[in-house]
Amino acid sequence: MTEKRVTWDELNTHMTDMVADKGIKIYVKDELAPMKAVTIGNWSSLFFVNVNSEEIKHIAGDSKGDDWFEMHAAHANEALKDADPERFEGMKKALLGLKKAYEDNGVTVIQYGLDSVPQNLEDMYMSASEQKFLSGYGKPGVPFVFGKHLLQTHEVTLTLPAIHLHLPVIKQLLSEPQNKDSAWLTMPIPQIDNTRQVSHWMSPGDPRLMPGNRILIGMGVDDPAKMRPGGPRSGADEPGIEMLRRMVEPYGFSVHTFFYNSSYSPHHDGVMFYVEEGLYATTEDMIWPDQENLPKELTEWERITITPEEARLGACNSMALGSKRAIVTSSAPKLIEELEKRGHSVTPVDFAVGWETYLSGVMCCSMAMWRE
Amino acid sequence: MDINKTNTRNGSSKEEWDNYNARMVAQAKGLKLHSDWDCAPLKAAYVGDVGSVWIPDPNTPEIQNILKRSGSKEQLDFLDKHKGKKLEDVDPETFETLKNETDALAKAIKDSGAAVIQTGKDIPFELASFQDSWGGPRWLSMQGHAGFDVVGDMLIAGWEVGPNRAQELAARPAINEMMKNSPDAVWLTMPPPVPNRHDPVPAPFMSIGDFKVMPDKTLLFGHGIPNKAAIKDRLVNRTSGDEYGAEILRRMVEPYGWKVENIYYDSQYTYHLDALMMLAGEGVMGLPDVPNGGLLSELPERYQDWDIIKVPVEEQGMGACNTVATRDKGILVFEDCPKTSELLAKRGFNPIPVPFRLNYAITGSGLHCSCTCFWREA
């Protein structure tokens, strides 16, 4: 029997009611400030990825092996629920576990809770890039919040419909008095050219908001020789960064960049865990040597060294909650131990299935809406 | 598994995209993105083309909403007859006329001394078909003003109705090139519309045709409504941009020193402000010769002492207000709107007639709707 599919009206009502009149602010002082509200991914539209695509080869090529590509190629664009029910249940459990971890820390969670999405949302990018909508990531669902403003960036095309799933949330929050001064900026949507990785790119996984209105953007290369201007980048590239810089500077924010080792992850949020002001965590070989003008966070702050093994299981994709609290994948016991040694309270979540299936960890699945 | 094997999807080849990109980049060499206001001397424009003339279905909620009061029977019958079809295949004669008109517009702009960028006829097919999978319409490519406009140093990208949504993507290679030449340019995009075929106005909505760029760093944002009472009744659909879209635009542009002000007009005359209000030069605008110029709210006080040309209502209905100022008082006008030309000439302007009747009759898009004047500078 065919399951009843959610309608646009049901979607709009469900999402609007979730946030209406709860006083949720659109405001992030910086990503180390105490978190009060977050949007996270959901299980309504989980598919195997069509890996026979230039953007997927580009983004996952440095960090994922043949087995990952083969797993997805065998079921490209098939629903996880049908093709691999066990993996689907694992993803759903992980996403609900993530929700609970936030709620246990007093954070309001915005998570779509219906079991399907309208058909045209699921298929939105099929004709452009032959990718079904992947709803598991939370970051592409709502814009990056800098100060009181929203900046919509764009991940690979399979996640682009996420913004439309969350549009009722943004509309509702912008209509409430506490957000009357929030601007909503959007980067250009990616070109619909499937024959290459498009340029002028900025994923939501690339910019990070540091204290002092500083936006840090990491550029991934798998070989330091590729740090040369115009070389290939795994995520944000220089033209994309320049576009972002010009957008945010009038709002009083500055942009700073560095290069990292993309063999761990295509995005900044997969390689650097900023724990609290003055402390970050990553592997010893993550930041490529001999870079001029490294951001002060990477030269002046103390570093917890993450093992390469734990980094490859999503340890760097952890989430600081402020006030010495963090959510970390339970696949990273050594990192958890290091944090606890320093007096941090860690909530572990079992997110291995997300990392294994979609290279998606705690932070990829979350976008802070309010930190203050 | 060889992950580098050629992408097998049935789309345009890399060579087709390479050729397209190279053609667009070549046209953009040396050009920049900056516009003081709608009548500053024109130096370069992106002009619509006939690379993808797919006829939209007039029975969808969004097209019904936009044409409900101002669409002519001729227009609706034509759209209904050819909906979902590629015009070149089903009516080559009409297609050829549209092409000739578009070429005439491009030539008039070039003759004024400005540079022109056009896509040409060979475009990557994805530009036409990228909305197929959710039931969206194919690209109707003549509306060169549907994708973006330039305001000061801001490139503002918007989305228009479904049939026009590929326009900014089509111009993208040229825009990327011009961004390099424009160190102060900032690229701002309105939120993309929801892929919902049943939504007549996918809020927050703003068409690039909804605002006029005034000389005092103001965007005058027009909302088409059926009567004055609808100003306060937000449940009445606007023909195009809504107040929410205008508010998103306002918050976006204010840090760059620009403001947005709303005005309301009677949607029986048109669905976009740029077909109601003609800006001819500083202190001179045109509005239809009807009570209050078709406006349902007052013009901001500082524009009330402008010389307002009363455009004969029958010519306004033919697109006469949808003009393009060039330079040295030149202004592109419809060749078959002689009374409007005469009124402009009397004020010292130089009307330059362009044959564009069929474009307007079929799509409701005139000269201004068909080009983006992205470089205007004294």
Side-chain angles (χ1 to χ4, degrees):
Chain A
M1 195 175 85
T2 310
E3 283 179 48
K4 184 181 171 294
R5 190 174 275 279
V6 167
T7 66
W8 281 103
D9 284 346
E10 288 166 344
L11 184 159
N12 290 336
T13 303
H14 171 69
M15 294 303 267
T16 304
D17 289 351
M18 198 181 305
V19 296
D21 304 321
K22 292 189 167 68
I24 296 172
K25 265 170 92 171
I26 296 170
Y27 181 72
V28 173
K29 179 175 173 286
D30 58 64
E31 73 166 60
L32 307 170
M35 183 187 280
K36 298 191 169 184
V38 68
T39 301
I40 67 173
N42 64 83
W43 58 89
S44 65
S45 186
L46 297 178
F47 285 82
F48 281 104
V49 177
N50 175 9
V51 291
N52 187 20
S53 118
E54 296 305 318
E55 65 172 352
I56 299 300
K57 291 173 195 170
H58 174 88
I59 196 167
D62 292 352
S63 52
K64 298 305 278 186
D66 284 356
D67 53 345
W68 185 84
F69 279 89
E70 282 163 8
M71 172 181 77
H72 283 282
H75 298 289
N77 285 333
E78 289 179 34
L80 213 57
K81 198 191 289 190
D82 302 328
D84 191 343
E86 195 179 335
R87 191 180 292 274
F88 173 79
E89 287 304 325
M91 278 299 298
K92 185 172 176 179
K93 192 173 162 199
L95 289 160
L96 285 169
L98 181 60
K99 182 183 186 199
K100 182 173 184 309
Y102 280 115
E103 286 174 343
D104 288 349
N105 282 281
V107 178
T108 299
V109 176
I110 301 162
Q111 183 184 42
Y112 182 73
L114 306 180
D115 286 329
S116 66
V117 297
Q119 184 75 55
N120 35 16
L121 190 63
E122 181 180 302
D123 290 339
M124 185 179 178
Y125 268 82
M126 280 296 283
S127 47
S129 63
E130 288 192 353
Q131 299 286 359
K132 288 279 196 175
F133 171 34
L134 180 54
S135 65
Y137 300 97
K139 268 202 166 179
V142 289
F144 169 68
V145 182
F146 66 107
K148 62 187 175 187
H149 306 299
L150 300 162
L151 174 59
Q152 181 68 23
T153 59
H154 307 291
E155 238 302 329
V156 287
T157 52
L158 52 85
T159 68
L160 296 188
I163 184 67
H164 303 297
L165 186 66
H166 293 89
L167 193 67
V169 168
I170 301 170
K171 277 174 74 169
Q172 178 61 33
L173 293 183
L174 284 175
S175 74
E176 295 186 3
Q178 70 273 20
N179 302 312
K180 66 179 172 46
D181 297 322
S182 294
W184 181 3
L185 309 179
T186 303
M187 297 276 290
I189 65 164
Q191 180 59 291
I192 45 179
D193 174 358
N194 301 292
T195 65
R196 75 203 72 209
Q197 168 57 28
V198 296
S199 66
H200 295 67
W201 197 32
M202 176 65 58
S203 155
D206 298 320
R208 311 283 293 271
L209 184 57
M210 294 292 115
N213 289 358
R214 292 163 56 80
I215 296 176
L216 236 56
I217 301 177
M219 286 184 283
V221 290
D222 62 352
D223 176 344
K226 293 179 183 169
M227 293 193 291
R228 69 182 184 279
R233 313 298 182 226
S234 60
D237 58 13
E238 285 87 338
I241 293 168
E242 175 62 8
M243 262 200 284
L244 181 141
R245 183 188 69 73
R246 296 185 194 183
M247 288 168 90
V248 301
E249 274 189 356
Y251 293 87
F253 289 75
S254 60
V255 175
H256 310 268
T257 61
F258 70 100
F259 287 95
Y260 64 81
N261 181 349
S262 63
S263 73
Y264 287 98
S265 168
H267 292 310
H268 186 187
D269 67 356
V271 300
M272 300 292 287
F273 172 26
Y274 299 102
V275 181
E276 62 181 338
E277 189 156 3
L279 181 67
Y280 71 96
T282 193
T283 67
E284 215 160 3
D285 61 347
M286 192 65 81
I287 301 164
W288 289 117
D290 304 324
Q291 294 187 58
E292 289 177 9
N293 305 318
L294 271 178
K296 66 177 184 183
E297 289 80 357
L298 308 187
T299 55
E300 295 173 9
W301 289 18
E302 183 196 349
R303 185 183 77 202
I304 294 175
T305 301
I306 295 178
T307 65
E309 294 74 28
E310 290 195 352
R312 293 192 190 286
L313 294 172
C316 303
N317 202 241
S318 300
M319 179 67 90
L321 299 176
S323 309
K324 289 192 175 291
R325 296 167 304 149
I327 297 177
V328 180
T329 173
S330 54
S331 307
K334 289 179 185 160
L335 172 61
I336 292 172
E337 193 184 329
E338 285 295 325
L339 291 166
E340 288 177 341
K341 259 199 267 179
R342 288 168 170 80
H344 287 254
S345 164
V346 177
T347 306
V349 294
D350 180 358
F351 222 78
V353 65
W355 195 259
E356 177 193 308
T357 311
Y358 296 122
L359 197 61
S360 152
V362 170
M363 193 171 231
C364 291
C365 288
S366 315
M367 184 63 102
M369 182 70 79
W370 185 9
R371 283 182 182 270
E372 193 169 8
Chain B
M1 179 184 198
D2 178 9
I3 64 164
N4 291 314
K5 76 175 186 180
T6 307
N7 191 327
T8 56
R9 79 178 287 282
N10 187 22
S12 304
S13 67
K14 184 168 185 302
E15 290 68 29
E16 285 172 289
W17 274 102
D18 283 344
N19 291 338
Y20 180 75
N21 291 340
R23 195 167 73 238
M24 295 299 283
V25 168
Q27 294 178 80
K29 290 283 179 201
L31 304 182
K32 70 179 215 183
L33 300 162
H34 176 86
S35 177
D36 293 333
W37 76 290
D38 268 356
C39 299
L42 178 61
K43 296 193 165 182
Y46 171 78
V47 179
D49 213 328
V50 291
S52 180
V53 186
W54 289 83
I55 302 302
D57 181 351
N59 306 307
T60 61
E62 68 167 355
I63 301 296
Q64 283 183 340
N65 179 59
I66 199 169
L67 296 180
K68 186 167 50 188
R69 299 190 74 226
S70 61
S72 68
K73 186 173 184 311
E74 176 195 12
Q75 179 184 18
L76 294 170
D77 287 349
F78 180 87
L79 297 179
D80 200 46
K81 182 179 174 192
H82 294 306
K83 63 190 173 201
K85 295 174 188 160
K86 192 174 184 188
L87 188 64
E88 192 175 6
D89 296 341
V90 295
D91 189 346
E93 201 177 324
T94 300
F95 174 82
E96 200 55 31
T97 306
L98 289 177
K99 181 178 181 308
N100 292 340
E101 289 182 355
T102 302
D103 288 347
L105 172 60
K107 181 175 182 305
I109 292 175
K110 283 180 195 164
D111 288 349
S112 79
V116 166
I117 296 176
Q118 284 187 285
T119 63
K121 201 159 166 291
D122 295 324
I123 57 146
F125 184 59
E126 285 85 345
L127 290 172
S129 66
F130 79 108
Q131 299 182 113
D132 280 7
S133 54
W134 61 269
R138 287 201 166 168
W139 185 30
L140 181 62
S141 59
M142 290 96 74
Q143 287 72 37
H145 195 229
F148 65 103
D149 206 343
V150 174
V151 175
D153 287 318
M154 297 179 290
L155 182 151
I156 298 175
W159 296 98
E160 243 312 331
V161 289
N164 297 130
R165 283 192 193 133
Q167 199 64 267
E168 185 264 314
L169 293 165
R172 181 75 62 88
I175 294 173
N176 285 342
E177 177 64 22
M178 292 187 288
M179 284 294 284
K180 290 187 208 163
N181 306 331
S182 315
D184 298 322
V186 57
W187 189 342
L188 304 171
T189 302
M190 290 292 286
V194 168
N196 179 359
R197 285 171 292 174
H198 309 294
D199 197 345
V201 187
F205 193 65
M206 180 206 79
S207 158
I208 296 298
D210 287 332
F211 61 82
K212 299 297 288 179
V213 187
M214 308 303 283
D216 58 350
K217 289 200 155 191
T218 299
L219 301 180
L220 211 49
F221 196 119
H223 304 272
I225 49 175
N227 51 54
K228 236 177 181 171
I231 293 175
K232 288 188 177 165
D233 185 355
R234 298 289 171 88
L235 294 176
V236 176
N237 283 337
R238 280 51 184 141
T239 50
S240 182
D242 54 16
E243 286 81 352
Y244 182 31
E247 177 64 8
I248 296 297
L249 181 70
R250 183 188 71 75
R251 297 186 194 184
M252 205 154 73
V253 303
E254 270 190 359
Y256 305 92
W258 287 75
K259 53 183 177 289
V260 175
E261 288 182 48
N262 291 322
I263 56 169
Y264 293 85
Y265 61 88
D266 188 333
S267 59
Q268 71 171 298
Y269 299 111
T270 180
Y271 50 83
H272 286 153
L273 183 65
D274 71 349
L276 183 92
M277 178 183 286
M278 169 209 298
L279 294 184
E282 185 140 13
V284 186
M285 72 167 72
L287 288 168
D289 187 11
V290 294
N292 206 32
L295 297 175
L296 295 175
S297 60
E298 294 306 312
L299 271 176
E301 203 178 328
R302 60 190 182 282
Y303 308 131
Q304 287 179 7
D305 63 352
W306 280 36
D307 176 9
I308 296 180
I309 302 171
K310 292 185 174 183
V311 176
V313 68
E314 69 278 8
E315 290 197 354
Q316 182 276 328
M318 294 168 69
C321 291
N322 200 244
T323 54
V324 178
T326 56
R327 61 175 77 178
D328 301 327
K329 295 217 159 193
I331 184 163
L332 306 186
V333 296
F334 279 81
E335 69 170 3
D336 51 359
C337 293
K339 292 176 188 164
T340 306
S341 293
E342 197 181 320
L343 289 165
L344 285 163
K346 267 187 194 165
R347 288 163 170 86
F349 292 98
N350 173 29
I352 302 160
V354 180
F356 218 68
R357 178 53 40 220
L358 194 62
N359 261 277
Y360 198 81
I362 290 175
T363 67
S365 298
L367 304 166
H368 191 267
C369 295
S370 300
C371 60
T372 286
C373 299
F374 58 80
W375 187 7
R376 286 185 179 275
E377 197 168 12

